[in-house]
Structures are given as structure tokens and as C-alpha cells.
Amino acid sequence: DAKTTQPTSMDCAEGRAANLPCNHSTISGNEYVYWYRQIHSQGPQYIIHGLKNNETNEMASLIITEDRKSSTLILPHATLRDTAVYYCIVRYTGNQFYFGTGTSLTVIP
Amino acid sequence: DTEVTQTPKHLVMGMTNKKSLKCEQHMGHRAMYWYKQKAKKPPELMFVYSYEKLSINESVPSRFSPECPNSSLLNLHLHALQPEDSALYLCASSPPTVVGQPQHFGDGTRLSIL
């Protein structure tokens, strides 16, 4: 079974960079990596996605290793509002989006 | 504000009831999805519709019956559910022919089976 794994939980000090890793060793071909976050009782919120190159937007940066088997989401200056569960998702053939195990990030004042 | 609207937000039903969950989007997306999320677990893919046709069914029990009557609407019909079916049910949509574009999620329907 394809499986995307993430650390169960992480802490980050407010104002510091949060680096969230994801292992997707079974990724292949033109399969994209997406990152979402979910705050309790809400739907997942899109953050960023990428294929091979590193990506940056107003929310975060995404670093994908050269072999594409892992990636890291970087929140450059974490705030208390960034406390959430962060999911790494791989889009397999067609429209099959499968969530990783998720990382619960707590930003500490 | 979410661009994918799910109703109702909460639903309590008995095991013999029949109910439906509704999902609507007006972004012109032609792929729509149902996910099931248990507490403290990631969402699990249930069904995928592409151009109003069912393209993926992840071996979901027949007591869950999806329907896509048009390009903006997705329903999930529920019948004879079990207590273990209590969960958050999420709907999402995406443009299927635009490579790499992300999904947009609704805020879900929280379902409780008595």
C-alpha cells in the first residue's frame, strides 16, 4: 500500500520557522505533493503544492528532495493561528488524493 | 468563507433512518469527492466523481450511496448506518483536467448514528 507518513506532533516557538517533514517514498511519475492544514471542526485548508521544484507562496515554502521521496513544509514565522493539524497529500493516478498521517503543530507563545 | 457548501452541518440519525448529505460548488469544477474522517484521524477517500460519473469507489459499503445529479451538486444517501459510521463527512471539488490544481474542501457534515 502506498503510504505517506508524518511525525505525529511538533512544537514551534512563536516567530520561529516551523519545518514539517513528510515521507512519500512510493511517489512516482507526475504525482503532485499537496499540503493542507485543518483546524478543529473545519475542512482542510489548502496551503501549497509542488511536483519537482521548490515552491513558495504567501503562506509557506515547500522543499521537495531531488528523488521526490520526501518533502518539507516551511512556515517561515509561525504564529499562534498556525496551530493546526498539517497534512501532506499525494495525488496518485487520476483524481486519487490520499492524505498522510498528519502532524499536529502547536505554536507556543 | 468556503466555496464548497455542505448541508446539514450536523446530523443525528437512527440506524433505520434514511437521510442524505448535500454538497454544492459553483466554481465550475468537474471532479467532486466524498471523504470520511474519524476523530484524530486523516480523511479517507470514499468516492470520486469525474464529469458526473463515478470514477472511484474505495470499497465503501452499499449503505452509502453517492449521486451526482449535475456538475455543481453531489449527494451522499445514507441508509441503515451503523454506529461506527459516526464521523465527519467532507466534500471536495477540483478541476479534473487542469494538472496539479488543488482540491477545495467544505467544512463537512458531522454525523452521529444512535
Side-chain angles (χ1 to χ4, degrees), chain A:
Chain A
D1 280 348
K3 191 170 178 64
T4 303
T5 57
Q6 303 173 247
T8 301
S9 63
M10 294 181 66
D11 292 339
C12 177
E14 188 177 17
R16 303 297 294 268
N19 296 276
L20 292 89
C22 178
N23 184 304
H24 33 78
S25 58
T26 59
I27 200 169
S28 63
N30 293 321
E31 293 159 354
Y32 281 76
V33 177
Y34 301 78
W35 282 84
Y36 283 72
R37 70 183 182 187
Q38 187 174 28
I39 297 169
H40 183 62
S41 296
Q42 295 183 15
Q45 176 193 18
Y46 168 74
I47 300 172
I48 198 168
H49 73 283
L51 180 62
K52 297 178 182 177
N53 301 318
N54 298 336
E55 303 287 345
T56 295
N57 64 20
E58 64 279 3
M59 290 182 69
S61 295
L62 174 60
I63 308 298
I64 302 175
T65 59
E66 192 169 342
D67 63 7
R68 302 186 64 238
K69 293 185 183 302
S70 65
S71 61
T72 300
L73 176 74
I74 301 172
L75 307 178
H77 304 287
T79 71
L80 298 179
R81 288 183 296 178
D82 292 323
T83 293
V85 178
Y86 287 77
Y87 291 106
C88 170
I89 298 169
V90 175
R91 181 180 188 172
Y92 293 97
T93 305
N95 291 319
Q96 298 182 69
F97 292 80
Y98 291 101
F99 280 70
T101 50
T103 297
S104 178
L105 175 70
T106 301
V107 179
I108 302 169

Side-chain angles (χ1 to χ4, degrees), chain B:
Chain B
D1 284 344
T2 180
E3 297 166 309
V4 176
T5 303
Q6 291 189 244
T7 54
K9 293 190 183 306
H10 301 276
L11 179 63
V12 179
M13 58 186 287
M15 289 190 285
T16 59
N17 292 157
K18 288 185 181 181
K19 296 286 185 183
S20 297
L21 309 185
K22 178 180 174 180
C23 173
E24 198 163 5
Q25 58 88 16
H26 296 286
M27 295 177 283
H29 292 172
R30 301 306 294 274
M32 297 186 76
Y33 312 77
W34 281 115
Y35 289 84
K36 173 183 178 180
Q37 185 175 25
K38 301 285 282 184
K40 300 188 185 301
K41 297 291 187 182
E44 296 177 352
L45 186 63
M46 299 174 72
F47 302 104
V48 180
Y49 273 83
S50 181
Y51 292 97
E52 296 86 70
K53 293 192 186 308
L54 184 64
S55 59
I56 296 173
N57 177 341
E58 290 288 350
S59 302
V60 180
S62 59
R63 58 186 183 269
F64 295 91
S65 176
E67 178 196 21
C68 190
N70 59 57
S71 61
S72 300
L73 190 59
L74 184 67
N75 297 319
L76 186 63
H77 303 297
L78 314 172
H79 174 55
L81 295 194
Q82 303 299 309
E84 61 265 28
D85 297 322
S86 296
L88 180 68
Y89 288 84
L90 293 162
C91 174
S93 70
S94 71
T97 58
V98 182
V99 177
Q101 288 303 300
Q103 295 175 303
H104 296 245
F105 282 84
D107 284 334
T109 293
R110 190 161 298 281
L111 177 65
S112 298
I113 307 300
L114 300 179

